[in-house]
Amino acid sequence: MREHQQRWQREQAEKEKKLAIAAAPSLPTIENGDFSQPPITKNTYKYLTSDTTTVPGWNFSSVLLNQSGAWGFPMPYPNGEQCVSIQKTQELWTNDKMVFTPGITYSISFHACGRNCCDKSGLANPIDIGLEGKTFYSFTPPVSVWTKYSATFTSDSNVGQRISFKGTWTTSDRSSAIQGISLQIIDDPKVLEKKSPPPTATELTQPVQATPATNAPIPAPIFATSPAPGTFGSGTLPVPSENAML
């Protein structure tokens, strides 16, 4: 029986190894998710429009900040000195089209904070997150507090797709800041499949019995006797400067 048990264990280990190699899910990387590149002067900001080259990894139609007192987001920022602010209907897209494995649940994590300014509402800019513009998560961060978010999503296609962050407020001036964006895999169904249990001692050792002939005596079954196996402030509008409009 020990020989049968060892053979089953070897076969099971080989099967799991091949499955892991063949079905490893794709986990894309968010480039420059903390917006640390390029570094800009402390306490400044820069408006960028449809810019795919200034900020590595991103198509920017929003505002790049470095510890800006004018924008009033609480400091220090949770993931370094720079962040992006999405004002009104501005947008932010990844430059790269990333491949996601169908059937896999992914999570996108980030910090966000609303700006208490401008329209005096005390409310932030609602943001939609999507794949190729198709929204899978919407949120409105609290003002003057950096908050950690994690949103799950799946993809039904293995064709490359971009992740987008879109501001949705249209009637007045509201902004939300984002920083520290990253991706994770939450679960892989193939890994979560039930593994077949090892055969029992009886299954390994009980002989197959032929059907006896009519009127013939039925022999008693023979069994082996081997044992079973063990078992994150508020701010005001800045005075216009070389930084352009706010």
Side-chain angles (χ1 to χ4, degrees):
M1 184 214 67
R2 180 177 297 178
E3 181 181 346
H4 288 285
Q5 180 73 6
Q6 291 174 341
R7 182 178 65 188
W8 177 88
Q9 291 173 338
R10 288 194 300 269
E11 291 173 350
Q12 188 73 2
E14 188 64 25
K15 180 192 298 185
E16 292 175 2
K17 181 179 178 180
K18 289 180 179 179
L19 180 62
I21 294 174
S26 170
L27 179 57
T29 300
I30 295 287
E31 182 182 358
N32 196 22
D34 59 2
F35 305 104
S36 61
Q37 300 299 318
I40 61 175
T41 304
K42 181 178 179 180
N43 195 21
T44 63
Y45 58 91
K46 189 171 186 178
Y47 276 84
L48 299 168
T49 303
S50 299
D51 190 314
T52 61
T53 59
T54 299
V55 182
W58 296 95
N59 184 335
F60 243 72
S61 287
S62 41
V63 193
L64 181 64
L65 317 179
N66 186 318
Q67 303 175 83
S68 173
W71 284 81
F73 296 111
M75 294 182 278
Y77 303 159
N79 298 280
E81 299 176 345
Q82 300 194 168
C83 70
V84 58
S85 181
I86 300 178
Q87 188 175 29
K88 301 181 71 173
T89 57
Q90 291 178 336
E91 300 182 6
L92 178 72
W93 294 68
T94 57
N95 266 337
D96 295 335
K97 289 192 173 185
M98 297 172 284
V99 175
F100 298 99
T101 303
I104 301 300
T105 300
Y106 294 88
S107 174
I108 184 167
S109 300
F110 55 93
H111 279 86
C113 180
R115 185 187 189 196
N116 188 14
C117 178
C118 308
D119 71 355
K120 308 303 181 182
S121 68
L123 299 174
N125 188 9
I127 306 294
D128 286 347
I129 308 177
L131 286 178
E132 285 301 317
K134 183 178 180 180
T135 302
F136 62 81
Y137 184 69
S138 299
F139 71 100
T140 305
V143 298
S144 304
V145 178
W146 286 100
T147 303
K148 179 69 177 289
Y149 288 87
S150 291
T152 59
F153 66 94
T154 58
S155 174
D156 57 5
S157 170
N158 57 8
V159 175
Q161 301 175 85
R162 298 166 300 168
I163 292 178
S164 61
F165 292 78
K166 296 183 177 184
T168 63
W169 193 254
T170 61
T171 61
S172 57
D173 190 352
R174 296 183 187 179
S175 300
S176 292
I178 297 172
Q179 195 198 37
I181 304 171
S182 63
L183 290 171
Q184 301 84 33
I185 290 177
I186 295 302
D187 65 65
D188 179 353
K190 294 182 177 61
V191 173
L192 298 176
E193 284 179 347
K194 282 188 175 181
K195 299 179 181 178
S196 55
T200 64
T202 301
E203 290 171 334
L204 286 170
T205 59
Q206 185 172 357
V208 177
Q209 298 181 45
T211 302
T214 304
N215 297 324
I218 301 175
I222 300 174
F223 298 91
T225 59
S226 300
T231 60
F232 162 74
S234 62
T236 59
L237 285 170
V239 176
S241 67
E242 67 228 20
N243 288 299
M245 66 174 287
L246 182 67

